[in-house]
Amino acid sequence: MRLAESNSGPRRAAAFVLYVVLLGLSLLPGGGLWTLWLVPAPLIAFHVTGSRRLTILLASLYTIFLVLAGWNLAAFAIGAGAYFLSWVMGDAMLDSESSYPALITGTFVFVMIELVLLAFYRWSGGHLYADLSNAMTASIAQDQGLLGASSTADATQAINVFITWLQTSLPGLLSVLAILFALLNLVVARRLTGRPIPQSILLDWRLPGSVVGVYIIALAIVMFGALRSIPLWWQAANSAVLVASFLLGIQGIAWVWRRIYHHRYAKLWLTLLVVGGLLQFVRSIYILLGLIDMMRRVPRT
């Protein structure tokens, strides 16, 4: 107990340094959009180490900085979201040694923050798909002399394909990003509090069998173009494929990790596995391994 108390000071100092750095970056042009996804981590650390009143103060100060950076009313929603994340994820870390409760609760809160930000953007007069398409097109127009006419036409076509994909997969993309943001904050908060993520987060990764059924049905709908005439269901199917394939990909990485985690350079191999997931071909292999692992676990009668 005394050792934990003696270490709480340096840990709080490290959390405060990270908070100050993120606070400063939030004032830079475009910085607020990137820092807001990591600001909850030091707040979670303060909550876990018992400085809950300080967490409220720091979340309020962060809100003020966002207002100064031009976020207006959205700043209050983001500040409240950061504090709420520190509360629910911090309590989950205190109540359980497992990482899953904090990861699940954090994911739900991040989804809510993303939806609130999109609502504020639309309320302020923005049009996500049109604005994004215009920004990408303008960027290509600036480099038109370097790209050439044919390359410019190909790039414009690629933009149209991307915007179409985004329109059909936005809910799934938001869910995947929320999982990644929650995991990032969980990793950083555990490091700041001296609670490294247990290896069991991958060793014990077990998806419910229903994920395989959802993935196969949704993939069949997308491949054969069924329900394309019903925008809501078509979007739901595409989003389900995206989320399910992401989770199955983690299942595939977990399958490999269970076979190498005891090796000397296991963490290096894990890093290479994660980086390799950036490649489409490698991601497909992970999904296939995840499906095989899931089907192997189906009870046999």
Side-chain angles (χ1 to χ4, degrees):
M1 179 65 71
R2 290 182 179 178
L3 180 61
E5 291 176 354
S6 65
N7 289 334
S8 63
R11 290 169 184 167
R12 290 175 183 174
F16 187 74
V17 169
L18 176 60
Y19 171 80
V20 171
V21 171
L22 293 173
L23 205 63
L25 292 175
S26 67
L27 291 177
L28 298 178
L33 181 61
W34 299 107
T35 59
L36 67 88
W37 308 116
L38 189 55
V39 164
L43 301 185
I44 295 169
F46 285 121
H47 185 93
V48 171
T49 55
S51 304
R52 301 189 179 187
R53 293 183 179 179
L54 181 60
T55 302
I56 300 175
L57 176 62
L58 295 180
S60 302
L61 182 61
Y62 176 56
T63 302
I64 294 173
F65 268 63
L66 288 178
V67 172
L68 295 176
W71 283 78
N72 302 322
L73 291 177
F76 295 94
I78 296 171
Y83 171 71
F84 191 52
L85 276 165
S86 70
W87 178 15
V88 297
M89 292 187 71
D91 278 354
M93 287 175 61
L94 289 171
D95 294 340
S96 174
E97 287 296 325
S98 173
S99 298
Y100 292 110
L103 181 60
I104 293 171
T105 55
T107 297
F108 282 125
V109 178
F110 268 115
V111 167
M112 288 191 293
I113 293 176
E114 291 168 344
L115 293 177
V116 168
L117 289 178
L118 287 176
F120 270 111
Y121 185 75
R122 184 66 182 87
W123 177 73
S124 63
H127 299 274
L128 177 63
Y129 306 121
D131 293 345
L132 185 58
S133 177
N134 292 336
M136 297 173 70
T137 302
S139 178
I140 291 177
Q142 292 178 354
D143 301 329
Q144 188 171 5
L146 298 175
L147 294 175
S150 60
S151 297
T152 301
D154 292 339
T156 301
Q157 183 178 4
I159 291 175
N160 294 332
V161 172
F162 171 74
I163 295 299
T164 301
W165 173 84
L166 185 62
Q167 289 174 330
T168 58
S169 304
L170 184 60
L173 179 61
L174 293 179
S175 300
V176 170
L177 290 176
I179 296 172
L180 293 176
F181 293 146
L183 182 59
L184 174 63
N185 280 270
L186 179 62
V187 170
V188 175
R190 279 191 171 271
R191 295 299 181 186
L192 291 174
T193 57
R195 299 182 176 203
I197 292 184
Q199 292 181 337
S200 61
I201 193 170
L202 279 178
L203 294 178
D204 296 335
W205 183 270
R206 300 288 187 274
L207 293 174
S210 57
V211 173
V212 176
V214 170
Y215 176 72
I216 293 176
I217 294 174
L219 184 62
I221 292 174
V222 172
M223 290 180 62
F224 293 104
L227 302 179
R228 184 185 289 271
S229 60
I230 309 176
L232 179 61
W233 287 105
W234 180 245
Q235 186 182 59
N238 280 269
S239 296
V241 170
L242 180 61
V243 175
S245 61
F246 174 76
L247 296 176
L248 286 169
I250 297 179
Q251 184 75 43
I253 294 177
W255 182 86
V256 178
W257 177 245
R258 288 195 293 271
R259 283 151 180 80
I260 66 170
Y261 77 95
H262 57 280
H263 291 176
R264 183 178 179 181
Y265 299 106
K267 292 185 178 179
L268 174 60
W269 283 110
L270 179 60
T271 302
L272 294 176
L273 286 172
V274 174
V275 174
L278 298 176
L279 302 176
Q280 178 63 43
F281 175 72
V282 178
R283 286 202 303 271
S284 300
I285 295 177
Y286 290 162
I287 294 171
L288 179 60
L289 289 175
L291 283 169
I292 294 174
D293 189 32
M294 291 290 295
M295 288 187 289
R296 284 177 59 249
R297 299 177 186 279
V298 175
R300 297 180 180 179
T301 55

